[in-house]
Each structure stands twice: as structure tokens, then as C-alpha cells.
Amino acid sequence: MSERRSAREILTLVADAGSFAELPCPARRSGPDGPLGWAGYDAARARAAERTGEEESVVCGTADVGGTRAVLIAFEFGFLGGSLGERTGDRLEAAYAHAREHRLPVVPLTATGGSRMQEGMLALSQLQRVARQSALTRAAGLAQIAVVRDPTTGGGWATLGAGADVVLALPGAQVGFAGSRVRPADADPAAYTAESQVAVGSADAVVDPAELKEVLGSWLRLLTGGPAGRRGTRDAGDRPVAPAPVPAALGAAGLPVTGWDAVRRARDGERPRAQAYLDAYFARRRDIGGDRCGGTDPGGMRCGFGERDGRTVAYAAQTGAATRPAGYRTAARLIRLADRLGIPVLTLVDTPGAANDAEAERQGAGAAIAEVFAAVAAAGVPVTTLVIGEGGSGGALALAAPGNTWATPDSYFSVIAPELAAAILKRPTAEVEATAEQLRIRPQDLVELGVIRGVVQPPDHPRGAISPPPPG
């Protein structure tokens, strides 16, 4: 179990020294023992206040976290289990309204058992208020980063926690919709942990408390576009958001001679992969994890936000393996989030194709790929694409930006793998190489056909980083 901290302790842990300023609390008057007249409710609140020093289950204010100003919402679990009641809802609504008025990201630091039974359905309905405030803040182009502590269950997890753009969790924290006293007796307790929520894609990372301020500060800088902050599809000077620069090629410079030569080079195990490109492109970066639908694809897709030349760029990068449905859904999540925050997107295409096994079909492969096509097509921010290896059919094309796709010399892009094309055409294996030539899948062929804009070369190439194909 994670170490439990009070609201003030967690605020001290994440906020820059001396920067926290508590927001004024709305005053709500109610009858004796609350809106339901629950016998002993006033006495319970009085005991909670005496024990914790707080008047309610949340403390809201603004603070700098690693130099970025944010609205912090810290739950006090010692106050009636961090439960949500009408007064809690008042405070949360005021905090979100303040964030929108002052253009600040919101950081819920949750530790809650859910809604307050002594207020019945009036307490449960506070989740609708929270959801509304979160939606308004999302529509305003402001980021929400949750830190889920021990425990975070019930409606608090289903709104403030799991509903955030990025979810960080403390090690060993109990995290799940069902609390320990209401879940089935034979339920596996490991399923209700921070680590389990990361494994199934419902949270992005488990963060050690000693590293929380640095990690949270890094996320806040990235999702606010840097120190100056830039939100929406236009920058602070009302100019369109500039596209992400095309990365330089990291592999060989010479263009492939034949179609099969292009395939062979793209499949070379020594060719640079997404990890090398991301490391070379970004000064620092943070991955998001999971599709929020119960899945992850760490072996097929890397998604996140990084800093490039002082500004934030989002990335969705295929790793060279067949991409699984969870990978596509994670990429779609990334692109939609970047679009809402006004952050340009870089995609790296490198896959033999989408995973096509029976399990991938059961996981909704077609629908997941459709999500990525739709996210790229609907993006108001610019998307830049570089094909760095295999570009296998629709599973690769889904990530490609129409009109702004480039390729490296050791890549190819094809409607179908040459081997599969030959099989469909009922050609013998000996004709696979000739089929590759007919498909015109070399980078220079793709430029000539108008499929890509150009071939990207290594920085020291005599023609420069981006060169047209040679004549013929």
C-alpha cells in the first residue's frame, strides 16, 4: 500500500516552495445534519475538521510546479474518506472556473472513496458537476493532469482521475472504480492497483513520490507549450501553429536501386528505429501509455510529447513491429489531445502492417485504425510524417499526413507487401522481387507519384537534409 499523505503534505510535495495560494471557498448554508437531515452528520464533519484541520475534503489553490503555474486540487482523505458532497462540488466548480478565467492547467491530486452517503443522490450528482467543469476546461484548450493517490476509487476515479488528459499514479495506490468494501469477495486485489491501471492503459505512469514534482512539472511545461504557453490552433501572436520540423535521416543516404532493394533495406535489423529518431529529435520527452480502453501496445507504438527547439511537439511513432489495435487507439488519443492543446504532431511510420491475427480482430483492429485516420483528417494543428522504415498498407497510411509526408532513403511505402501481392496475383515466389518493382514503392518513386513530398537525407549529405530524387 502507498504511503498516505494529507492534502497539505501532497501540496508541499509538488508545489514550488512558497508558491501555493489557496483559493477562496464558496459558502453554502444547509440545514441541520446536511441536506438529508442525516442524524450525526454535523458531528461527523466537526470531528473530521478537528482531526485534519480542514473544513472540507478538498483544498484548492494555485501554485508553481517546476515553474509552471497551475490550479491544484488536493483531496484530504482524512476528512470523511475524501468523499464528495455538495460543498466539495462547490469548491471544485470554483477551482475549474478559476483555471479557465486565468488560462491555467488543472492538477487534481486525488485520494477519495467516492460520493458522501450522508448526502445521498445530491452527493452522487456532484460527479455530473465535476464532469461538466472538466468538459468546459477541456473545450477551453487547457490541460488536466491527475495524480492518483491511495486510495482513489468510485466516482472520484471515474471523473477527476481517469478523465484527465494524463494520469500519474503513486506506487502501490489502490486505484479502481470499486472500493475495497464493495467489490466481489473473490476479486483479485492486484487488479485494483496503480500498477494494474498502467498495465491496462487506464493510467500513463507510476511515479515515485521523490520524483513527482519533477515529472509533474515536466508534463505541465510540455502540455502548456513551454514557458510562454500556447493553446489552440494559433499561437500567441495569432499565427497558425507551425508544423513540426521534418527529422533528419539517421541511416544510409543512397537511394535504393530496385523495389526489392528498398524492401530489403527497410527490413534490415541494423536500420535506425523510432527510439533513435525520438532521442535525436527531442531534448526531453514524456510518453503517454495506453488507449483508455484496456490496452497498451508498447512493442508497436510510442506516443507522447517532447521538447524541440524550445516548443512542444507531440509524437506517435511506430516501432517496426505490426501495430496492434491498442497502439492505434493510443495514437488517436495522442493526436486528439495535441489538437485540443494546439500542439503540432510528428508521426513516424514504420510497420509491416497492422496486426491481423484473430485476437487483433476481436480487439477491433478496423475500428482502431479508423480512429487514427479520423484523428489525422480532423486535426486542426499541422501533422508532419516521416516514413523511416516499412510502410505496410493501411496500417501505415493511417498515421501519414496528407500532403506533408516524407521518407528516408531506407524506407518504402506500399499498398501491400510484395510477397502478399504476388500471392494474391497467384505468382510464384520467384516473381516477388519483380512484383516489388511493379508496385513502385521506392522513396524516389513515391515522390514522382506525388505520394510523398521528398526524400530526407542525413544532415551531412552534400545535397542537404532534404533532397529530390535524382533524374531517372
Side-chain angles (χ1 to χ4, degrees), residues 43-136:
R45 285 194 294 193
R47 289 193 298 271
E50 181 178 4
R51 183 170 57 252
T52 64
E54 306 296 347
E55 296 179 355
E56 247 306 329
S57 58
V58 292
V59 177
C60 305
T62 61
D64 295 332
V65 182
T68 301
R69 198 73 178 171
V71 168
L72 304 185
I73 299 171
F75 277 72
E76 175 53 71
F77 189 76
F79 193 104
L80 301 180
S83 56
L84 281 77
E86 286 187 307
R87 293 181 182 177
T88 323
D90 292 342
R91 291 189 175 202
L92 294 173
E93 186 173 67
Y96 274 97
H98 183 89
R100 292 193 298 275
E101 180 183 357
H102 296 276
R103 304 294 301 168
L104 296 175
V106 180
V107 180
L109 303 159
T110 62
T112 172
S115 301
R116 196 168 296 172
M117 291 183 297
Q118 297 92 330
E119 296 186 20
M121 280 302 297
L122 291 174
L124 189 65
S125 67
Q126 300 310 303
L127 301 180
Q128 295 172 317
R129 290 180 75 186
V130 172
R132 173 65 175 166
Q133 292 304 311
S134 178
L136 290 172

Side-chain angles (χ1 to χ4, degrees), residues 39-370:
Y41 183 34
D42 282 348
R45 285 194 294 193
R47 289 193 298 271
E50 181 178 4
R51 183 170 57 252
T52 64
E54 306 296 347
E55 296 179 355
E56 247 306 329
S57 58
V58 292
V59 177
C60 305
T62 61
D64 295 332
V65 182
T68 301
R69 198 73 178 171
V71 168
L72 304 185
I73 299 171
F75 277 72
E76 175 53 71
F77 189 76
F79 193 104
L80 301 180
S83 56
L84 281 77
E86 286 187 307
R87 293 181 182 177
T88 323
D90 292 342
R91 291 189 175 202
L92 294 173
E93 186 173 67
Y96 274 97
H98 183 89
R100 292 193 298 275
E101 180 183 357
H102 296 276
R103 304 294 301 168
L104 296 175
V106 180
V107 180
L109 303 159
T110 62
T112 172
S115 301
R116 196 168 296 172
M117 291 183 297
Q118 297 92 330
E119 296 186 20
M121 280 302 297
L122 291 174
L124 189 65
S125 67
Q126 300 310 303
L127 301 180
Q128 295 172 317
R129 290 180 75 186
V130 172
R132 173 65 175 166
Q133 292 304 311
S134 178
L136 290 172
T137 304
R138 188 178 300 113
L142 300 171
Q144 299 172 67
I145 305 173
V147 176
V148 290
R149 301 149 54 207
D150 185 44
T152 295
T153 61
W157 166 238
T159 52
L160 291 153
D165 300 317
V166 173
V167 181
L168 308 176
L170 296 187
Q174 179 189 173
V175 181
F177 185 65
S180 59
R181 297 184 182 181
V182 299
R183 67 181 65 133
D186 60 350
D188 179 6
Y192 303 84
T193 62
E195 289 76 8
S196 177
Q197 298 296 347
V198 171
V200 300
S202 295
D204 294 287
V206 172
V207 182
D208 188 272
E211 300 173 356
L212 182 58
K213 179 188 289 188
E214 190 276 326
V215 172
L216 180 57
S218 174
W219 270 114
L220 286 168
R221 288 192 299 275
L222 288 170
L223 296 191
T224 55
R230 179 174 58 253
R231 305 171 184 93
T233 58
R234 305 184 75 82
D235 68 14
D238 199 34
R239 297 163 299 194
V241 173
V246 183
L250 300 180
L255 293 170
V257 176
T258 66
W260 188 248
D261 185 33
V263 173
R264 182 176 50 77
R265 289 173 58 173
R267 293 176 179 174
D268 186 345
E270 300 301 314
R271 171 183 56 79
R273 306 288 169 138
Q275 179 76 33
Y277 276 91
L278 295 174
D279 288 346
Y281 191 82
F282 291 110
R284 57 190 60 84
R285 58 187 172 86
R286 295 281 179 186
D287 283 358
I288 64 170
D291 61 3
R292 298 299 187 261
C293 300
T296 62
D297 184 20
M301 185 78 74
R302 298 286 298 275
C303 297
F305 294 84
E307 182 183 323
R308 166 81 179 193
D309 297 331
R311 68 175 183 140
T312 302
V313 173
Y315 57 87
Q318 291 172 316
T319 64
T323 308
R324 304 204 62 80
Y328 288 113
R329 283 191 288 262
T330 304
R333 171 193 162 205
L334 180 281
I335 294 166
R336 289 192 294 260
L337 175 57
D339 189 38
R340 180 161 55 79
L341 299 179
I343 296 172
V345 179
L346 170 71
T347 63
L348 301 179
V349 169
D350 186 8
T351 180
N356 59 5
D357 55 88
E359 186 59 29
E361 292 296 339
R362 283 191 285 265
Q363 293 169 356
I369 296 169

Side-chain angles (χ1 to χ4, degrees), residues 328 332 336 364-376 398:
Y328 288 113
R336 289 192 294 260
I369 296 169
E371 277 195 60
V372 181
F373 271 117
V376 172

